Amino acid sequence: MKLSDTKATLSFSNGKPSMDLPVYSGSVGPDVIDIRKLYGQTGLFTYDPGFMSTAACQSSITYIDGDKGELLYRGYPIEQLAVNCDFMDICYLILNGDLPDGEQKKDFDNQVTRHTMVNEQMHFFLRGFRRDAHPMAVLTGLVGGLSAFYHDSTDITNPMHRHISAIRLIAKMPTLVAMAYKYSIGQPYVYPQNNLSYTGNFLRMMFANPCEEYVVNPVVEKALDRIFILHADHEQNASTSTVRLCGSSGTNPFAAIAAGVACLWGPAHGGANEACLNMLEEIQANGGMAKVGEFMEQVKDKNSGVRLMGFGHRVYKNYDPRAKLMQQTCKEVLASLGLESDPLFKLAMELERIALEDPYFVERKLYPNVDFYSGIVQRAIGIPTALFTAIFSLARTVGWIAQWNEMLSDPEYKIGRPRQIYSGESSRQYKKK
Ligand code: CMC
């Protein structure tokens, strides 16, 4: 970031001297006002719940222009990456800053492929969970548990340890998610197979069993790979900020990523894909198309507590570019699996059509987000609803680890420690009650 010629001046109505604040420009996007010296010079904090106007770090990984509906990974538009790359290219890009050449890709693929197995003891650890536990509860535990198994890559001051832990996390997430699934349905775990792609291997670990040959369906493989690409990173969202804040204390990468998994679980964030599909199924069960209008009235009624899941975004005030790509994938997958007349897809299209014309949504700039269609694709592929957010975690791991690494390499890195406006009792004396 570079210092802008513009300066901001903060003045006070109570006669306090005003303060000049430096302004910085990034490569694109809004300028930022540097308030780091504010407290030291004025004794005042800023107040910004939900970080509506606060840049908490500088980053060169992902850029979003919410008004234009633009998403760039390392400068490349998501639309170009989604059609020209596979998820391994994207992982390399996000971690290293540029796309790999042939040799780099081969080497990277090989490193990830060689780290997909997990310590055998992890199987016993998993068995401690109830079989009906939510996969995100299991995954939070398993990812945190990795720090107990891979001590040789937890020294965060050692760049080699950081690299190996990044590769391990990217490589082992599909294995852990598939293990959690197999455990929940009482089937044996399927070990990774090195001659398959990252995504093909995940599909096999999810759906193969020891009794028959499993053949990866290339349409399904491509669709799931695209889901991974679209979810790989998304700037300073809640789970990424959680990973940064957790990692800022110097904790090990597995613990920091486990915090990200826990945050992602919430329905306002990664849990929206599960909530969205549940919503579609509920509308379908209650009358389908005939009840769409009634449902939309509920959504618009603030007292109902009902939201149109998969709609709206803190940053996008335009169509989420990932939603467009996901809608296209949805059509392709349903057509190839002979599910063109899928009622939930029809329902989703109708909800979208109504919302895009309704003043409630138009005025608030509410558009479909990535989760509006991703659930329908995953359901068509055979992934159970409860596992959707775990798939999101798998894909977002590369973004989390790249952001964590970027933070640790930043000379301005400090432990994250927000302040508050205290509104409780002022100092009072103890009296026995
Ligand atoms: N349905 C109905 N009304 C909505 C919705 C929705 N999905 N989203 C926002 N609104 C309304 C909200 O009630 C508010 O209205 P008013 O100004 O009259 O009070 C206005 O729009 C602004 O909403 P907000 O909650 O203040 O906006 P936010 O930026 O704090 O929240 C959001 C963003 C994503 C949490 C919210 O849009 C939401 O809850 N959407 C549904 C959940 C969802 O799909 N989340 C996935 C996000 S994308 C995946 C990811 O990156 O994790």
Side-chain angles (χ1 to χ4, degrees), residues 87 90-91 94-95 170 232 394-403:
F87 184 59
I90 301 300
C91 288
I94 288 178
L95 288 174
I170 294 165
L394 181 174
R396 184 55 58 85
T397 294
V398 63
W400 287 331
I401 199 82
Q403 299 263 356

Side-chain angles (χ1 to χ4, degrees), residues 236-307:
Q236 307 310 319
N237 56 83
S239 58
T240 302
S241 301
T242 300
V243 169
R244 279 185 179 259
L245 189 57
C246 181
S248 77
S249 71
T251 192
N252 73 73
F254 305 107
I257 302 302
V261 175
C263 176
L264 191 76
W265 191 359
H269 191 10
N273 50 19
E274 179 179 346
C276 180
L277 200 85
N278 287 338
M279 170 193 82
L280 293 173
E281 278 175 344
E282 208 176 304
I283 302 172
Q284 184 63 17
N286 289 336
M289 284 292 196
K291 294 287 176 180
V292 164
E294 204 176 291
F295 177 75
M296 288 304 250
E297 288 311 310
Q298 269 185 321
V299 166
K300 292 190 281 179
D301 174 5
K302 284 280 149 59
N303 300 321
S304 72
V306 178
R307 281 200 167 195

Side-chain angles (χ1 to χ4, degrees), residues 272-273 275-276 279 307-312 367-373:
N273 50 19
C276 180
M279 170 193 82
R307 281 200 167 195
L308 181 56
M309 298 313 285
F311 251 75
Y367 293 87
N369 61 52
V370 66
D371 290 325
F372 198 59
Y373 290 104

